[in-house]
Amino acid sequence: MSFNGFWFAMKAAEEEADGLMKLLEQKAGQAPGLTIVCMPQEQRFYAHPAFMRKGTGLRAILDITGFAPEDIIVAGDEAMDLDMMRPELAAHVVCPSNAHPMVKERVMHMGGAVGGEPFGAGVVQAFRELAERRGWTV
C-alpha cells in the first residue's frame, strides 16, 4: 500500500482480490466524499477524497491562466486520468501502449494518439504522432 498525502493505493493479495474488489465496488457509491477506483484486472484500487480529481485541478488552471481547452494536451494511463481527459478541459490527449483500455478508448474517441511503446516512451511517441497530425512544430 502507498499513501501520497490524501491518496491511497493498494494491491490486493491474490487470494483476497476478488472479494475485496466486489466489496469496494459495492461500498464506492455509499461514500459520496470518497472516490474509489477499482482495477480488478490488476487487483488494485485507489481511494482519495472526491474533491481531489485531476479534472478539478485542470479546470482551476484553465480558470487562472485563461488558457482554453485547445491550448491543453494531457497524457494519461490510468482510469483516474479520465477525469481530465474531457473535451471541455483538454482538446488534445495522448497515452502510452500500456494505458488502461478505457483510457485508450477515450484517447481514440477524442482524436488523440496512442503510443506504440509503454510508459514515458509511449507518451513521447504519441505526442510526436499527434504533433505531426496537427502540424505542430516540435
Side-chain angles (χ1 to χ4, degrees), residues 1-23:
M1 180 163 81
S2 63
F3 174 65
N4 302 315
F6 292 99
W7 197 281
F8 290 93
M10 177 181 249
K11 181 168 175 59
E14 185 82 30
E15 63 277 5
E16 299 172 354
D18 289 339
L20 181 60
M21 291 298 119
K22 287 177 185 167
L23 176 65

PDB file of all heavy atoms in Angstrom, residues 1-23:
ATOM      1  N   MET A   1       0.851  -1.176   0.000  1.00  0.00           N
ATOM      2  CA  MET A   1       0.000   0.000   0.000  1.00  0.00           C
ATOM      3  C   MET A   1       0.889   1.229   0.000  1.00  0.00           C
ATOM      4  O   MET A   1       1.927   1.248   0.638  1.00  0.00           O
ATOM      5  CB  MET A   1      -0.899  -0.001   1.233  1.00  0.00           C
ATOM      6  CG  MET A   1      -1.803   1.214   1.274  1.00  0.00           C
ATOM      7  SD  MET A   1      -3.206   1.090   2.382  1.00  0.00           S
ATOM      8  CE  MET A   1      -2.462   1.461   3.936  1.00  0.00           C
ATOM      9  N   SER A   2       0.473   2.258  -0.719  1.00  0.00           N
ATOM     10  CA  SER A   2       1.196   3.531  -0.693  1.00  0.00           C
ATOM     11  C   SER A   2       0.238   4.643  -0.312  1.00  0.00           C
ATOM     12  O   SER A   2      -0.963   4.549  -0.525  1.00  0.00           O
ATOM     13  CB  SER A   2       1.832   3.816  -2.057  1.00  0.00           C
ATOM     14  OG  SER A   2       0.833   3.946  -3.042  1.00  0.00           O
ATOM     15  N   PHE A   3       0.777   5.692   0.268  1.00  0.00           N
ATOM     16  CA  PHE A   3      -0.008   6.841   0.704  1.00  0.00           C
ATOM     17  C   PHE A   3       0.700   8.092   0.234  1.00  0.00           C
ATOM     18  O   PHE A   3       1.853   8.325   0.578  1.00  0.00           O
ATOM     19  CB  PHE A   3      -0.133   6.839   2.230  1.00  0.00           C
ATOM     20  CG  PHE A   3      -0.804   8.058   2.779  1.00  0.00           C
ATOM     21  CD1 PHE A   3      -2.128   8.322   2.494  1.00  0.00           C
ATOM     22  CD2 PHE A   3      -0.110   8.933   3.585  1.00  0.00           C
ATOM     23  CE1 PHE A   3      -2.757   9.445   3.002  1.00  0.00           C
ATOM     24  CE2 PHE A   3      -0.728  10.059   4.102  1.00  0.00           C
ATOM     25  CZ  PHE A   3      -2.049  10.310   3.815  1.00  0.00           C
ATOM     26  N   ASN A   4       0.034   8.872  -0.600  1.00  0.00           N
ATOM     27  CA  ASN A   4       0.608  10.107  -1.129  1.00  0.00           C
ATOM     28  C   ASN A   4      -0.225  11.282  -0.654  1.00  0.00           C
ATOM     29  O   ASN A   4      -1.063  11.792  -1.373  1.00  0.00           O
ATOM     30  CB  ASN A   4       0.632  10.084  -2.662  1.00  0.00           C
ATOM     31  CG  ASN A   4       1.406   8.911  -3.194  1.00  0.00           C
ATOM     32  OD1 ASN A   4       2.481   8.634  -2.698  1.00  0.00           O
ATOM     33  ND2 ASN A   4       0.872   8.214  -4.168  1.00  0.00           N
ATOM     34  N   GLY A   5      -0.010  11.719   0.574  1.00  0.00           N
ATOM     35  CA  GLY A   5      -0.794  12.821   1.109  1.00  0.00           C
ATOM     36  C   GLY A   5      -2.201  12.377   1.417  1.00  0.00           C
ATOM     37  O   GLY A   5      -2.470  11.838   2.478  1.00  0.00           O
ATOM     38  N   PHE A   6      -3.114  12.561   0.484  1.00  0.00           N
ATOM     39  CA  PHE A   6      -4.504  12.166   0.662  1.00  0.00           C
ATOM     40  C   PHE A   6      -4.881  11.026  -0.281  1.00  0.00           C
ATOM     41  O   PHE A   6      -6.031  10.773  -0.514  1.00  0.00           O
ATOM     42  CB  PHE A   6      -5.439  13.357   0.405  1.00  0.00           C
ATOM     43  CG  PHE A   6      -5.319  14.419   1.429  1.00  0.00           C
ATOM     44  CD1 PHE A   6      -4.555  15.548   1.197  1.00  0.00           C
ATOM     45  CD2 PHE A   6      -5.958  14.292   2.643  1.00  0.00           C
ATOM     46  CE1 PHE A   6      -4.448  16.534   2.144  1.00  0.00           C
ATOM     47  CE2 PHE A   6      -5.859  15.270   3.608  1.00  0.00           C
ATOM     48  CZ  PHE A   6      -5.097  16.404   3.354  1.00  0.00           C
ATOM     49  N   TRP A   7      -3.913  10.349  -0.848  1.00  0.00           N
ATOM     50  CA  TRP A   7      -4.140   9.379  -1.913  1.00  0.00           C
ATOM     51  C   TRP A   7      -3.636   8.012  -1.472  1.00  0.00           C
ATOM     52  O   TRP A   7      -2.469   7.853  -1.175  1.00  0.00           O
ATOM     53  CB  TRP A   7      -3.350   9.842  -3.132  1.00  0.00           C
ATOM     54  CG  TRP A   7      -3.750   9.239  -4.416  1.00  0.00           C
ATOM     55  CD1 TRP A   7      -3.411   8.002  -4.878  1.00  0.00           C
ATOM     56  CD2 TRP A   7      -4.542   9.830  -5.424  1.00  0.00           C
ATOM     57  NE1 TRP A   7      -3.940   7.806  -6.114  1.00  0.00           N
ATOM     58  CE2 TRP A   7      -4.641   8.913  -6.472  1.00  0.00           C
ATOM     59  CE3 TRP A   7      -5.179  11.054  -5.544  1.00  0.00           C
ATOM     60  CZ2 TRP A   7      -5.348   9.182  -7.627  1.00  0.00           C
ATOM     61  CZ3 TRP A   7      -5.869  11.318  -6.688  1.00  0.00           C
ATOM     62  CH2 TRP A   7      -5.953  10.391  -7.717  1.00  0.00           C
ATOM     63  N   PHE A   8      -4.506   7.027  -1.440  1.00  0.00           N
ATOM     64  CA  PHE A   8      -4.116   5.669  -1.079  1.00  0.00           C
ATOM     65  C   PHE A   8      -4.167   4.777  -2.310  1.00  0.00           C
ATOM     66  O   PHE A   8      -5.084   4.871  -3.104  1.00  0.00           O
ATOM     67  CB  PHE A   8      -5.091   5.065  -0.051  1.00  0.00           C
ATOM     68  CG  PHE A   8      -4.995   5.688   1.306  1.00  0.00           C
ATOM     69  CD1 PHE A   8      -5.812   6.749   1.653  1.00  0.00           C
ATOM     70  CD2 PHE A   8      -4.091   5.198   2.232  1.00  0.00           C
ATOM     71  CE1 PHE A   8      -5.738   7.319   2.902  1.00  0.00           C
ATOM     72  CE2 PHE A   8      -4.011   5.769   3.486  1.00  0.00           C
ATOM     73  CZ  PHE A   8      -4.830   6.839   3.818  1.00  0.00           C
ATOM     74  N   ALA A   9      -3.193   3.911  -2.428  1.00  0.00           N
ATOM     75  CA  ALA A   9      -3.196   2.909  -3.489  1.00  0.00           C
ATOM     76  C   ALA A   9      -2.873   1.568  -2.843  1.00  0.00           C
ATOM     77  O   ALA A   9      -2.007   1.484  -1.980  1.00  0.00           O
ATOM     78  CB  ALA A   9      -2.158   3.242  -4.554  1.00  0.00           C
ATOM     79  N   MET A  10      -3.599   0.536  -3.237  1.00  0.00           N
ATOM     80  CA  MET A  10      -3.387  -0.770  -2.629  1.00  0.00           C
ATOM     81  C   MET A  10      -3.560  -1.870  -3.664  1.00  0.00           C
ATOM     82  O   MET A  10      -4.446  -1.806  -4.504  1.00  0.00           O
ATOM     83  CB  MET A  10      -4.392  -0.974  -1.499  1.00  0.00           C
ATOM     84  CG  MET A  10      -4.320  -2.334  -0.843  1.00  0.00           C
ATOM     85  SD  MET A  10      -5.557  -2.497   0.441  1.00  0.00           S
ATOM     86  CE  MET A  10      -4.501  -2.516   1.853  1.00  0.00           C
ATOM     87  N   LYS A  11      -2.708  -2.867  -3.584  1.00  0.00           N
ATOM     88  CA  LYS A  11      -2.831  -4.064  -4.413  1.00  0.00           C
ATOM     89  C   LYS A  11      -3.251  -5.191  -3.490  1.00  0.00           C
ATOM     90  O   LYS A  11      -2.646  -5.420  -2.450  1.00  0.00           O
ATOM     91  CB  LYS A  11      -1.505  -4.395  -5.089  1.00  0.00           C
ATOM     92  CG  LYS A  11      -1.589  -5.617  -5.986  1.00  0.00           C
ATOM     93  CD  LYS A  11      -0.349  -5.740  -6.849  1.00  0.00           C
ATOM     94  CE  LYS A  11      -0.316  -6.977  -7.677  1.00  0.00           C
ATOM     95  NZ  LYS A  11      -1.374  -7.180  -8.604  1.00  0.00           N
ATOM     96  N   ALA A  12      -4.300  -5.871  -3.866  1.00  0.00           N
ATOM     97  CA  ALA A  12      -4.849  -6.943  -3.040  1.00  0.00           C
ATOM     98  C   ALA A  12      -4.014  -8.208  -3.159  1.00  0.00           C
ATOM     99  O   ALA A  12      -3.432  -8.488  -4.213  1.00  0.00           O
ATOM    100  CB  ALA A  12      -6.284  -7.241  -3.464  1.00  0.00           C
ATOM    101  N   ALA A  13      -3.990  -8.973  -2.070  1.00  0.00           N
ATOM    102  CA  ALA A  13      -3.344 -10.284  -2.109  1.00  0.00           C
ATOM    103  C   ALA A  13      -4.138 -11.177  -3.055  1.00  0.00           C
ATOM    104  O   ALA A  13      -5.370 -11.082  -3.130  1.00  0.00           O
ATOM    105  CB  ALA A  13      -3.309 -10.891  -0.713  1.00  0.00           C
ATOM    106  N   GLU A  14      -3.455 -12.021  -3.778  1.00  0.00           N
ATOM    107  CA  GLU A  14      -4.077 -12.876  -4.794  1.00  0.00           C
ATOM    108  C   GLU A  14      -5.332 -13.578  -4.282  1.00  0.00           C
ATOM    109  O   GLU A  14      -6.376 -13.552  -4.921  1.00  0.00           O
ATOM    110  CB  GLU A  14      -3.051 -13.914  -5.278  1.00  0.00           C
ATOM    111  CG  GLU A  14      -3.514 -14.784  -6.413  1.00  0.00           C
ATOM    112  CD  GLU A  14      -3.364 -14.131  -7.768  1.00  0.00           C
ATOM    113  OE1 GLU A  14      -2.450 -13.315  -7.952  1.00  0.00           O
ATOM    114  OE2 GLU A  14      -4.187 -14.427  -8.645  1.00  0.00           O
ATOM    115  N   GLU A  15      -5.240 -14.194  -3.107  1.00  0.00           N
ATOM    116  CA  GLU A  15      -6.359 -14.982  -2.585  1.00  0.00           C
ATOM    117  C   GLU A  15      -7.528 -14.132  -2.085  1.00  0.00           C
ATOM    118  O   GLU A  15      -8.624 -14.634  -1.907  1.00  0.00           O
ATOM    119  CB  GLU A  15      -5.883 -15.927  -1.464  1.00  0.00           C
ATOM    120  CG  GLU A  15      -5.325 -15.243  -0.232  1.00  0.00           C
ATOM    121  CD  GLU A  15      -3.847 -14.839  -0.342  1.00  0.00           C
ATOM    122  OE1 GLU A  15      -3.241 -15.003  -1.417  1.00  0.00           O
ATOM    123  OE2 GLU A  15      -3.318 -14.345   0.660  1.00  0.00           O
ATOM    124  N   GLU A  16      -7.325 -12.838  -1.891  1.00  0.00           N
ATOM    125  CA  GLU A  16      -8.383 -11.964  -1.392  1.00  0.00           C
ATOM    126  C   GLU A  16      -8.883 -10.972  -2.432  1.00  0.00           C
ATOM    127  O   GLU A  16      -9.807 -10.214  -2.181  1.00  0.00           O
ATOM    128  CB  GLU A  16      -7.871 -11.204  -0.168  1.00  0.00           C
ATOM    129  CG  GLU A  16      -7.486 -12.118   0.970  1.00  0.00           C
ATOM    130  CD  GLU A  16      -6.791 -11.368   2.095  1.00  0.00           C
ATOM    131  OE1 GLU A  16      -6.510 -10.169   1.937  1.00  0.00           O
ATOM    132  OE2 GLU A  16      -6.541 -11.991   3.128  1.00  0.00           O
ATOM    133  N   ALA A  17      -8.284 -10.965  -3.596  1.00  0.00           N
ATOM    134  CA  ALA A  17      -8.543  -9.932  -4.593  1.00  0.00           C
ATOM    135  C   ALA A  17     -10.007  -9.880  -5.035  1.00  0.00           C
ATOM    136  O   ALA A  17     -10.616  -8.801  -5.033  1.00  0.00           O
ATOM    137  CB  ALA A  17      -7.640 -10.123  -5.805  1.00  0.00           C
ATOM    138  N   ASP A  18     -10.602 -10.993  -5.420  1.00  0.00           N
ATOM    139  CA  ASP A  18     -11.979 -10.980  -5.923  1.00  0.00           C
ATOM    140  C   ASP A  18     -12.945 -10.440  -4.879  1.00  0.00           C
ATOM    141  O   ASP A  18     -13.778  -9.579  -5.173  1.00  0.00           O
ATOM    142  CB  ASP A  18     -12.414 -12.379  -6.371  1.00  0.00           C
ATOM    143  CG  ASP A  18     -11.719 -12.835  -7.641  1.00  0.00           C
ATOM    144  OD1 ASP A  18     -11.217 -11.965  -8.380  1.00  0.00           O
ATOM    145  OD2 ASP A  18     -11.680 -14.051  -7.880  1.00  0.00           O
ATOM    146  N   GLY A  19     -12.845 -10.937  -3.662  1.00  0.00           N
ATOM    147  CA  GLY A  19     -13.734 -10.493  -2.591  1.00  0.00           C
ATOM    148  C   GLY A  19     -13.559  -9.024  -2.268  1.00  0.00           C
ATOM    149  O   GLY A  19     -14.535  -8.300  -2.075  1.00  0.00           O
ATOM    150  N   LEU A  20     -12.308  -8.567  -2.217  1.00  0.00           N
ATOM    151  CA  LEU A  20     -12.031  -7.168  -1.918  1.00  0.00           C
ATOM    152  C   LEU A  20     -12.566  -6.259  -3.022  1.00  0.00           C
ATOM    153  O   LEU A  20     -13.178  -5.223  -2.751  1.00  0.00           O
ATOM    154  CB  LEU A  20     -10.536  -6.945  -1.716  1.00  0.00           C
ATOM    155  CG  LEU A  20     -10.116  -5.518  -1.379  1.00  0.00           C
ATOM    156  CD1 LEU A  20     -10.766  -5.039  -0.086  1.00  0.00           C
ATOM    157  CD2 LEU A  20      -8.606  -5.416  -1.284  1.00  0.00           C
ATOM    158  N   MET A  21     -12.349  -6.614  -4.271  1.00  0.00           N
ATOM    159  CA  MET A  21     -12.825  -5.788  -5.381  1.00  0.00           C
ATOM    160  C   MET A  21     -14.355  -5.687  -5.368  1.00  0.00           C
ATOM    161  O   MET A  21     -14.916  -4.609  -5.558  1.00  0.00           O
ATOM    162  CB  MET A  21     -12.342  -6.327  -6.724  1.00  0.00           C
ATOM    163  CG  MET A  21     -10.853  -6.195  -6.967  1.00  0.00           C
ATOM    164  SD  MET A  21     -10.265  -4.490  -7.002  1.00  0.00           S
ATOM    165  CE  MET A  21      -9.115  -4.534  -5.641  1.00  0.00           C
ATOM    166  N   LYS A  22     -15.048  -6.785  -5.122  1.00  0.00           N
ATOM    167  CA  LYS A  22     -16.519  -6.765  -5.056  1.00  0.00           C
ATOM    168  C   LYS A  22     -16.996  -5.879  -3.924  1.00  0.00           C
ATOM    169  O   LYS A  22     -17.930  -5.084  -4.085  1.00  0.00           O
ATOM    170  CB  LYS A  22     -17.066  -8.184  -4.912  1.00  0.00           C
ATOM    171  CG  LYS A  22     -16.958  -9.001  -6.179  1.00  0.00           C
ATOM    172  CD  LYS A  22     -17.440 -10.425  -5.978  1.00  0.00           C
ATOM    173  CE  LYS A  22     -17.178 -11.227  -7.254  1.00  0.00           C
ATOM    174  NZ  LYS A  22     -17.333 -12.647  -7.058  1.00  0.00           N
ATOM    175  N   LEU A  23     -16.368  -5.999  -2.761  1.00  0.00           N
ATOM    176  CA  LEU A  23     -16.746  -5.177  -1.610  1.00  0.00           C
ATOM    177  C   LEU A  23     -16.521  -3.697  -1.904  1.00  0.00           C
ATOM    178  O   LEU A  23     -17.384  -2.859  -1.629  1.00  0.00           O
ATOM    179  CB  LEU A  23     -15.942  -5.599  -0.379  1.00  0.00           C
ATOM    180  CG  LEU A  23     -16.176  -4.755   0.868  1.00  0.00           C
ATOM    181  CD1 LEU A  23     -17.616  -4.915   1.363  1.00  0.00           C
ATOM    182  CD2 LEU A  23     -15.184  -5.126   1.955  1.00  0.00           C
TER     183      LEU A  23
END
